[in-house]
């Protein structure tokens, strides 16, 4: 269980409250990577509302069910392009390590992000997007 003083699941090494906790609480993430990390954290703590709120309405599903049997263990950011406070688009490639039913797994994704009215939103996996 994540506590405000405990380490943030995203792996940046900061306490949850001063790291992704502020974004889960409603503050806008300043970069695409910060948003991606907060979304990983939302999966780790089961914050469905944050995931839906930070998903581009054009690609957001109507429903989102989180599997309580998945334990998110570690996040590795492999690469980023754009996504700074001065960009309107960006990508973040990552590996999200998890355990489910006693087995290890890895979700590897290169995610696309867009900034609308100063707010970063998750669009979806790059390989699934039409150019």
């Amino acid at each position: 269980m994540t506590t405000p003083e405990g380490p943030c699941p995203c792996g940046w090494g900061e306490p949850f409250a001063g790291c992704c906790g502020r974004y889960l609480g409603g503050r806008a993430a300043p970069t695409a990577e910060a948003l991606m990390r907060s979304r990983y954290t939302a999966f780790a703590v089961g914050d469905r509302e944050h995931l839906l709120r930070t998903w581009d309405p054009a690609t957001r599903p109507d429903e989102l069910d989180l599997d309580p049997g998945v334990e998110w263990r570690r996040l590795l950011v492999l690469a980023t392009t754009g996504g700074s406070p001065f960009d309107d688009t960006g990508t973040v490639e990552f590996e999200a390590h998890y355990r489910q039913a006693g087995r290890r797994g890895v979700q590897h994704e290169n995610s696309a992000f867009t900034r609308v009215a100063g707010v970063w939103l998750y669009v979806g996996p790059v390989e699934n997007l039409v150019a």
Side-chain angles (χ1 to χ4, degrees):
M1 171 135 187
T2 301
T3 65
E5 304 82 27
C8 188
C10 83
W12 254 339
E14 299 294 324
F16 173 74
C19 194
C20 293
R22 58 190 160 171
Y23 307 130
L24 273 62
R27 186 171 169 190
T31 65
E33 181 178 350
L35 178 61
M36 190 280 311
R37 287 178 177 277
S38 77
R39 288 177 56 81
Y40 169 84
T41 296
F43 275 106
V45 302
D47 190 337
R48 181 183 163 279
E49 306 314 318
H50 178 71
L51 293 166
L52 291 171
R53 181 178 64 246
T54 60
W55 206 318
D56 186 332
T59 58
R60 179 177 54 219
D62 292 332
E63 295 291 324
L64 179 64
D65 294 322
L66 301 180
D67 185 344
V70 175
E71 180 185 355
W72 296 98
R73 305 290 301 243
R74 181 173 49 132
L75 174 67
L76 297 173
V77 173
L78 305 174
T80 62
T81 61
S84 80
F86 307 105
D87 294 312
D88 289 327
T89 62
T91 65
V92 180
E93 183 181 4
F94 67 91
E95 288 181 349
H97 296 255
Y98 63 90
R99 283 187 184 257
Q100 184 175 26
R103 296 183 161 201
R104 295 178 184 179
V106 178
Q107 178 183 343
H108 180 204
E109 183 175 311
N110 189 12
S111 298
F113 295 85
T114 187
R115 194 165 61 136
V116 178
V119 177
W120 283 104
L121 298 172
Y122 169 74
V123 177
V126 171
E127 57 272 9
N128 291 345
L129 300 176
V130 177

